[in-house]
Structures are given as structure tokens and as C-alpha cells.
Amino acid sequence: VLGVGYVPQDPGAGLLPWYSVRDNVLLPLRCRGASAADQERALASVREVLDPDGDVDLEAHPRTLSGGQTQLVALMRGLASSSRLLVCDEPFSAMDAPARVRLRASLRGHCESPHGPAMLFTTHDLDDMVELATRVLLVVGSPATIERAVDPGRAGARHAIGSALAEAHR
């Protein structure tokens, strides 16, 4: 399936408050007419990647979730969409440090798998950049322009990215 999965910075703006977590996660599949069996397979797959311990109650509603759990549900929905491109706008900003570390590893592993999506990830977090990216683009100005590209895999990348960020914010 071609298309784009989207995870907004403010997932509360994208989740339907009258839907359960399960229904919010499966919404893109239902809109495409996926069978119930395909929906359940997608849900199980997404939970295996992002919520293996089942910390988020699938029958809960968004208003009962913490900010980090709400972001997790939005990320689950983005992955469940089975799109070839996943666009994430600061999807970890409301999560605590242990959740961020776990999710970075899980998301990177999923995206690097043979059938995983490509990912465009917007963040101000240096750890997110270094640990998730295959290429970091520093975008500045209005209209936005790419000021610098950094390969996060090269020696000294963390320092180069940190310096570029500091310079951009002067």
C-alpha cells in the first residue's frame, strides 16, 4: 500500500475522543476497507513493536490517557496504516526518558526491517536525531531552507549536529 502515515506533534488533535484506543489505531485500515482479520493482524504487529507489554488499554479513550500514552497511540496508528512513508512530527515530546529510549530502538528496528516504512522525523532532540536518522537535515528560516546535512553515522556526528543546532538558535 502506498501512502503516508502521519503522527502529529499534538496527537490529541488527531485522535477521535469518542473512539477507543483500538478504534483510533485501526481507523486508517477501516477507511481503506481492510478486513477484520487484517485489522487484528495489524494491531497485533503494531503492539509487538511499540507496546509489547500492553501498557496501553485498548478499550480506553484518549481523554483518560497521559500525554505520553496519547503520543504512543498516535504512533501506533501511524504504523498501523501500513504506509510506505511514516511522517512523525516530534512524536516523543511528551514521553518520559525510558519510554523514548525504548521507542527509538523499536521504531528504528521496525523501519530498518525489509517491509518497514521510510520515515521522515521532525525533532529538536539530539538523541532522536543521532539514534534514528540516516541523514540529519538542519532546516532554518522562513521560507524554510536546508542549511546543512549531516551523516549521523560518521565520527563526530553528535558534536557536529549539536554545534549546528546551537549555531542555528543564536
Side-chain angles (χ1 to χ4, degrees), residues 1 17 20 31 44 50 55 83 85 87 91 94 98 108 113 115-116 123 140 144 162 167:
V1 172
S20 66
C31 288
L50 298 175
D55 292 332
S83 299
L85 174 63
V87 177
R108 182 172 183 118
S113 69
H115 299 290
T123 186
V140 297
E167 189 177 307

Side-chain angles (χ1 to χ4, degrees), residues 11-82:
L15 298 180
L16 301 176
W18 57 90
Y19 272 18
S20 66
V21 166
R22 173 188 305 276
D23 291 337
N24 269 291
V25 169
L26 296 176
L27 182 61
L29 296 168
R30 288 192 176 135
C31 288
R32 284 202 321 260
S35 70
D38 285 344
Q39 290 177 40
E40 287 307 310
R41 274 192 293 278
L43 182 61
S45 175
V46 158
R47 280 199 96 173
E48 183 179 324
V49 172
L50 298 175
D51 188 26
D53 297 330
D55 292 332
V56 177
D57 177 5
L58 293 177
E59 302 314 315
H61 286 79
R63 70 183 171 281
T64 66
L65 304 175
S66 70
Q69 288 174 323
T70 303
Q71 283 187 315
L72 179 59
V73 171
L75 195 53
M76 290 169 67
R77 182 175 59 193
L79 277 186
S81 70
S82 300

